[in-house]
Amino acid sequence: MHLLLYKPITELDDFAALHSDLILLELWSLEQLAQLNPAKCKYMLLSRRRFPTAKDLTLFLCGSKLEKVDVFKYLGVLINTKLSWCDHIDGICNKARKILGLLYWRFYQDSSHSTLRALYITLVRPHLEYAAQLWDPHTSCDVNKLEAVQRFALRVISHQWDSTYQELLNIVKIQTLQGRRLKLKLTLMYKIAHGLCYFPAGVFLLHQSHSERLAKHHTMLCPHARTNYYFHSFVPSGVRAWNSLGELQACAGGLHTFKQLIKDSCSLSNST
């Protein structure tokens, strides 16, 4: 059983309220005959402030002091205290390289290009794209880290070690990870806009225009972002990507039709 308890902390009283919530959680677990293990419970303070509120205070559960961590994996995604995705990206790149090394050692010599391509798409690329709509990087450093993993994979698949990345993409007939992440993000936005998946109400609001001639009925209000991190996070970046679509694409009659229509928008000249 996985439990997540969170609370905005703007003053010390909020921290005390969070501790009270932990006591209620402990009482609830006793009622449900589900014993909590404090040794497996962690807490993290998420803040980009230089001196965050309640930085040095501690939390207790079942009489035991909880361990404070700077990085924690939740639902398969590494989250750190600064809300930066660098730890997650480094982690998935390292994991993908290990799998690629195993595939190279085991299959490189005796397997066809199509077999190696299928192995990469099945066993490696999913690690590089899991929950990518959430952590889609905007810095060239993180983008290049991910593409470097795929570039090595394409060299293994094609046996072409001197070709450029673009040439490898054309040879293997595969698209960049960045282009695929954009497609994944737009697909999720389509599901949200058309009620095909759950998302909290009030986050995405349709834009209202006084001029019917100038209105694009599918566009959404883009939230104001005071920080660069929030500007490039899922909600603002997702809204900007969605608003860039044409009426025909956004109002497609079905999810499969939508995916076909956005191929060119995502620079998918050589899609898979």
Side-chain angles (χ1 to χ4, degrees):
M1 180 173 61
H2 297 273
L3 296 175
L4 175 66
L5 186 65
Y6 63 93
K7 187 177 183 64
I9 305 294
T10 58
E11 54 187 25
L12 294 181
D13 289 343
D14 295 328
F15 198 85
L18 178 60
H19 199 276
S20 298
D21 292 339
L22 282 174
I23 295 176
L24 294 176
L25 177 62
E26 182 180 345
L27 295 175
W28 173 84
S29 67
L30 293 175
E31 292 176 357
Q32 302 298 319
L33 301 179
Q35 185 177 3
L36 298 175
N37 186 353
K40 294 184 177 181
C41 298
K42 319 292 181 185
Y43 83 95
M44 179 187 294
L45 182 62
L46 304 177
S47 177
R48 295 192 58 81
R49 293 181 178 180
R50 186 176 180 181
F51 301 104
T53 306
K55 176 182 178 181
D56 299 322
L57 298 182
T58 57
L59 291 172
F60 292 85
L61 180 67
C62 302
S64 300
K65 181 180 177 180
L66 293 180
E67 179 186 356
K68 183 180 179 182
V69 296
D70 294 327
V71 181
F72 190 77
K73 179 177 283 189
Y74 181 66
L75 298 180
V77 178
L78 283 174
I79 302 173
N80 63 25
T81 56
K82 298 298 183 182
L83 293 177
S84 166
W85 301 114
C86 56
D87 291 298
H88 179 72
I89 292 172
D90 288 341
I92 61 176
C93 286
N94 290 335
K95 187 172 185 178
R97 288 192 191 96
K98 290 179 181 178
I99 300 174
L100 275 173
L102 179 62
L103 295 180
Y104 175 81
W105 175 78
R106 178 63 181 83
F107 296 102
Y108 181 74
Q109 295 293 339
D110 303 320
S111 299
S112 64
H113 297 337
S114 59
T115 299
L116 291 171
R117 183 179 185 274
L119 288 171
Y120 166 69
I121 291 175
T122 305
L123 300 177
V124 180
R125 194 168 68 179
H127 293 289
L128 300 173
E129 294 184 333
Y130 174 74
Q133 302 93 325
L134 173 66
W135 54 261
D136 183 19
H138 66 277
T139 62
S140 58
C141 177
D142 288 335
V143 171
N144 291 337
K145 284 180 184 178
L146 294 161
E147 299 295 346
V149 177
Q150 177 162 275
R151 181 170 61 247
F152 176 75
L154 298 187
R155 285 173 174 166
V156 172
I157 294 170
S158 64
H159 293 199
Q160 300 288 330
W161 295 93
D162 297 324
S163 301
T164 65
Y165 187 35
Q166 187 58 53
E167 290 172 343
L168 292 170
L169 293 171
N170 294 331
I171 292 171
V172 184
K173 292 182 172 56
I174 219 167
Q175 67 188 93
T176 64
L177 294 172
Q178 188 175 22
R180 285 182 55 83
R181 288 194 299 274
L182 177 58
K183 182 180 179 181
L184 289 170
K185 183 179 293 186
L186 286 172
T187 301
L188 179 56
M189 291 297 297
Y190 178 88
K191 292 179 180 179
I192 294 172
H194 292 269
L196 300 179
C197 68
Y198 169 76
F199 206 86
V203 177
F204 296 99
L205 300 175
L206 289 177
H207 186 270
Q208 301 295 329
S209 175
H210 296 292
S211 173
E212 284 293 323
R213 183 176 61 85
L214 298 176
K216 292 175 68 177
H217 298 291
H218 72 276
T219 58
M220 300 178 181
L221 289 173
C222 189
H224 174 68
R226 293 185 299 173
T227 64
N228 197 42
Y229 272 86
Y230 182 56
F231 181 81
H232 291 286
S233 65
F234 169 66
V235 173
S237 65
V239 170
R240 291 194 302 272
W242 178 258
N243 290 347
S244 68
L245 296 177
E247 196 80 24
L248 178 64
Q249 295 168 317
C251 300
L255 186 59
H256 177 73
T257 303
F258 175 76
K259 289 180 178 181
Q260 292 296 116
L261 291 173
I262 64 171
K263 280 186 177 180
D264 293 335
S265 300
C266 299
S267 301
L268 309 183
S269 59
N270 46 8
S271 60
T272 63

